[in-house]
Amino acid sequence: MNNTDIFKNILLPRLRERDPRIQVILGPRQVGKTTAIKAVLAQQHDPYHYASADDLLIPAVPWLREQWQKAVQLCRVAPEKKAILVVDEVQKILEWSEVLKALWDGKTDSGLRVVLLGSSSLRLQTGLSESLAGRFEVIRAYHWGLAESHETFGFSLDDYLTFGGYPGASEYRHDFARWYQYVKESIVDAVLMKDILGLRSVTKPALFRQCFQIACAYPAQEVSYTKLLGQLQDRGNTDLVKHYLELFEGAYLIKSLMKYSPKPVIKKSSSPKILPLCPALVTVALGSQLTQVPEMRGRLFELAVGADLCRLPGDLFYWRERGMEVDYVYAFAGEVFAIEVKSGRQKSAAGLAEFCRRFKKAKPVLIAESSYEAFAQNPLGFLSRS
């Protein structure tokens, strides 16, 4: 399901409810959130007012109040309809959450619906948790998958495993230097510098940027914090590396999976399995030639499967013990799925059987390139049928 479908199937029904909460759309930079929300709103019949704080030289509180009043006026002009206020890049306004809390709590017109978007998830999440608790629901947008990349740009699986994730860069894939420059400067550097370093106090920014590049060089691999630390060209400690990885995850760049275990202490103390959340991030870190090496291509296919699994409700882990491994362990609603990705990478097949022997509830699932399309179209359905 692409982002337009997500908004159409989830956002619009919520906005039609009698008294919906504030709808907050969170997701990575440059995946088409704004384009998708405009397309969805244009397909419905209620009036809406769209405003973006990204267009302001000095985003300020009075501007936000002005946009609220414009949406309220739509309610008065057409009281039989449900007016919608959409504020994009709302996190750029200082004290935005406190102002919205006051406006929301004081509104007298139940016909006003509010949608917030922002590329800086860290600041958005802070404002939501501190001021708007209980007043909002989250809808998540994602990097582009193979299906929508194929439909829109004609991507093959190999194209996707090299360039996939960011639609704006896809048209440049035949000019690698231009593609690389666009993704690195317009997306990766923007997230690192503006969305993270611009909002959080980060010790040793140069080390932080280097840690990101090193982490992206280990797609779908278990890597100890000590090993990551050992490759940094400066002093640091494992707690610092853990903190960096948490910031990358909050900005929708990297997901760190913990080892599956019924004992919480083992989960917390395990080495993370690194999942850059789209293949393009790995290509920027390693270059297109390295990503086409068979071993790395296998890792990238495992990464693509893992990124799809990260979209699902529930929890995602990996498992490894005494040389045996299971690529992914997905737990949701009392069910446990042990997932083996047939990527062509050399590895033992004993891990899946051993895991299912130890954890009787686990259901074994195999995902190969031949079945990947069916899996990606409906991951939960695919797991249930396996």
Side-chain angles (χ1 to χ4, degrees):
M1 185 184 294
N2 60 36
N3 289 329
T4 300
D5 289 338
I6 288 172
F7 299 161
K8 183 177 180 179
N9 296 332
I10 298 177
L11 176 63
L12 285 184
R14 289 185 182 180
L15 293 178
R16 295 184 183 118
E17 293 174 357
R18 181 176 179 179
D19 191 17
R21 290 176 169 82
I22 297 171
Q23 300 300 308
V24 182
I25 296 174
L26 295 180
R29 271 185 178 264
Q30 297 294 317
V31 296
K33 297 189 298 297
T34 300
T35 301
I37 191 68
K38 287 182 175 180
V40 168
L41 291 175
Q43 295 173 12
Q44 53 86 52
H45 302 293
D46 290 322
Y48 67 92
H49 175 63
Y50 171 87
S52 175
D54 203 29
D55 300 330
L56 302 177
L57 293 177
I58 305 177
V61 165
W63 176 88
L64 181 57
R65 291 198 177 101
E66 180 184 349
Q67 308 315 309
W68 182 278
Q69 290 305 319
K70 288 181 178 180
V72 169
Q73 185 61 31
L74 291 177
C75 294
R76 294 170 181 166
V77 171
E80 75 282 1
K81 294 183 179 292
K82 307 297 184 182
I84 303 167
L85 170 63
V86 181
V87 184
D88 206 344
E89 300 293 348
V90 67
Q91 79 286 341
K92 293 191 175 183
I93 301 169
L94 294 177
E95 300 180 355
W96 66 270
S97 58
E98 292 86 349
V99 174
L100 272 179
K101 176 181 181 294
L103 291 169
W104 182 262
D105 290 351
K107 75 183 179 78
T108 57
D109 194 328
S110 61
L112 181 61
R113 275 74 172 123
V114 178
V115 179
L116 307 179
L117 294 88
S119 58
S120 177
S121 64
L122 293 171
R123 181 177 282 180
L124 262 175
Q125 291 168 7
T126 299
L128 294 172
S129 61
E130 291 180 354
S131 299
L132 293 173
R135 298 169 176 84
F136 69 92
E137 291 181 283
V138 171
I139 299 173
R140 301 193 183 279
Y142 300 98
H143 293 91
W144 278 36
L146 174 61
E148 55 198 314
S149 299
H150 173 73
E151 180 180 351
T152 306
F153 301 107
F155 270 30
S156 65
L157 178 59
D158 282 318
D159 289 333
Y160 181 73
L161 295 182
T162 304
F163 301 108
Y166 295 106
S170 298
E171 61 184 294
Y172 307 139
R173 70 185 185 278
H174 300 299
D175 183 346
F176 182 76
R178 186 178 181 185
W179 179 91
Y180 174 88
Q181 184 176 20
Y182 177 83
V183 175
K184 183 178 184 301
E185 295 180 358
S186 297
I187 301 175
V188 174
D189 288 350
V191 175
L192 295 179
M193 298 302 294
K194 295 180 181 180
D195 295 349
I196 302 179
L197 294 178
L199 302 176
R200 296 292 181 92
S201 177
V202 175
T203 304
K204 301 182 179 180
L207 201 66
F208 171 79
R209 292 167 61 90
Q210 187 188 4
C211 183
F212 175 73
Q213 184 165 3
I214 291 171
C216 285
Y218 291 95
Q221 296 181 59
E222 177 193 354
V223 186
S224 70
Y225 295 113
T226 303
K227 183 174 181 178
L228 288 173
L229 181 63
Q231 296 189 50
L232 297 177
Q233 297 174 356
D234 198 350
R235 286 186 176 182
N237 56 60
T238 56
D239 287 338
L240 187 64
V241 173
K242 289 179 183 179
H243 178 56
Y244 288 168
L245 290 175
E246 289 172 357
L247 293 177
F248 299 147
E249 184 167 336
Y252 299 99
L253 292 173
I254 291 174
K255 177 77 173 176
S256 300
L257 303 185
M258 297 295 102
K259 179 180 176 181
Y260 181 82
S261 172
K263 299 179 180 179
V265 66
I266 293 180
K267 292 179 182 178
K268 289 187 176 182
S269 63
S270 64
S271 297
K273 183 170 185 173
I274 305 296
L275 283 185
L277 288 175
C278 74
L281 297 173
V282 181
T283 302
V284 168
L286 295 178
S288 59
Q289 291 183 337
L290 281 177
T291 58
Q292 293 169 14
V293 173
E295 174 74 11
M296 183 55 67
R297 187 190 180 282
R299 291 287 186 186
L300 286 168
F301 181 61
E302 290 181 36
L303 169 65
V305 173
D308 288 330
L309 290 167
C310 284
R311 298 183 177 201
L312 301 179
D315 298 301
L316 187 63
F317 307 91
Y318 75 95
W319 182 79
R320 180 193 297 272
E321 194 162 318
R322 297 180 180 178
M324 295 180 291
E325 65 176 307
V326 173
D327 295 320
Y328 299 110
V329 179
Y330 172 61
F332 175 61
E335 292 190 287
V336 177
F337 299 91
I339 302 166
E340 179 76 12
V341 181
K342 293 295 185 181
S343 62
R345 184 170 64 86
Q346 293 295 321
K347 55 185 176 180
S348 171
L352 190 63
E354 177 62 18
F355 183 88
C356 292
R357 185 188 69 80
R358 295 190 187 192
F359 303 97
K360 304 299 184 183
K361 290 172 51 178
K363 300 177 181 179
V365 179
L366 298 176
I367 301 176
E369 289 190 17
S370 59
S371 58
Y372 175 66
E373 182 177 353
F375 162 76
Q377 289 289 344
N378 183 7
L380 272 179
F382 184 94
L383 296 178
S384 299
R385 294 189 301 268
S386 297

